[in-house]
Amino acid sequence: MRMPLLAFCLLLCTCVCAQIPVTPEFAVLLDSMDVRINHPLDADFQLRPNVKNYYHQDQLTVYSKREKLEIRYHLTPESETDAYYQMPHMRAATLVMNLSSNEEDAVTTVHSFGEEEMAIFNADWARMYTFQPKRNYSDRGHAQLIAIYKKGSGMAFVVLLFREAPATIEGRQLALRFR
């Protein structure tokens, strides 16, 4: 009896300690859009101040020293008055064009997710863009922007920034999902 109880308490402590930290404002926004963070069990993420830039106002920034990975989050509730209303492909593409480098040799790739990932996201639309970010957005050499959209809720963006992709990159690409 003691051993299962001890194992349960240890697992609970590990899960609580490994959660990605969020600000109260971001937690309210997550709840209002029915978005959940897929908390990794092996994370050492810490809150960082959001970087001011001309291109995108991130709402939450976390960093893992062990993974050398910065994750920036941004949520946009759906609004009928929005110019990109029910056009997630246009909103995401515009954002990527704003964040990606204008260097002559810079390349942007687009990845469509399969049924398995779409089921995890519980989204109507999702894409991943891999690109070199503008230097004044991030000094890291590589970025992946994961954009997910659910009709009636809005869009959620995750930007992964790194110099070398950590071994955990595929799991981090699934950082957000709709409930």
Side-chain angles (χ1 to χ4, degrees):
M1 178 68 177
R2 280 187 175 170
M3 192 56 103
L5 182 61
L6 180 63
F8 175 74
C9 289
L10 183 61
L11 179 64
L12 183 63
C13 288
T14 302
C15 291
V16 170
C17 294
Q19 288 192 352
I20 290 178
V22 298
T23 62
E25 297 84 11
F26 193 70
V28 168
L29 191 55
L30 286 167
D31 286 339
S32 71
M33 290 180 59
D34 278 337
V35 174
R36 295 292 168 257
I37 293 179
N38 292 325
H39 293 284
L41 296 177
D42 59 344
D44 67 334
F45 288 97
Q46 297 177 349
L47 279 174
R48 283 228 169 140
N50 294 323
V51 178
K52 300 247 187 245
N53 63 75
Y54 299 111
Y55 309 108
H56 195 242
Q57 278 311 117
D58 302 300
Q59 297 159 328
L60 183 75
T61 302
V62 295
Y63 180 75
S64 169
K65 190 173 185 177
R66 183 173 26 132
E67 295 178 35
K68 297 178 182 162
L69 176 70
E70 184 174 331
I71 304 178
R72 298 181 187 182
Y73 298 90
H74 184 86
L75 304 176
T76 305
E78 191 163 55
S79 168
E80 290 182 17
T81 61
D82 188 353
Y84 296 110
Y85 178 65
Q86 294 187 346
M87 293 188 292
H89 58 290
M90 295 296 292
R91 179 183 295 284
T94 301
L95 179 58
V96 169
M97 285 189 286
N98 285 331
L99 297 181
S100 62
S101 173
N102 293 330
E103 297 294 322
E104 196 171 300
D105 61 343
V107 176
T108 299
T109 59
V110 182
H111 173 76
S112 298
F113 291 101
E115 290 181 28
E116 187 177 320
E117 290 94 352
M118 291 300 289
I120 292 170
F121 290 136
N122 192 27
D124 297 322
W125 180 92
R127 295 290 183 277
M128 179 175 67
Y129 302 84
T130 303
F131 57 94
Q132 179 183 346
K134 284 185 169 78
R135 285 189 199 106
N136 53 3
Y137 181 70
S138 175
D139 63 351
R140 300 179 194 287
H142 304 284
Q144 288 186 335
L145 182 138
I146 297 85
I148 61 175
Y149 168 79
K150 185 162 186 146
K151 188 175 181 177
S153 292
M155 289 207 58
F157 298 100
V158 177
V159 182
L160 307 174
L161 299 160
F162 50 90
R163 288 191 177 84
E164 288 186 34
T168 57
I169 194 77
E170 287 185 16
R172 303 306 180 240
Q173 293 165 352
L174 306 173
L176 291 179
R177 64 182 170 86
F178 288 99
R179 191 171 4 162

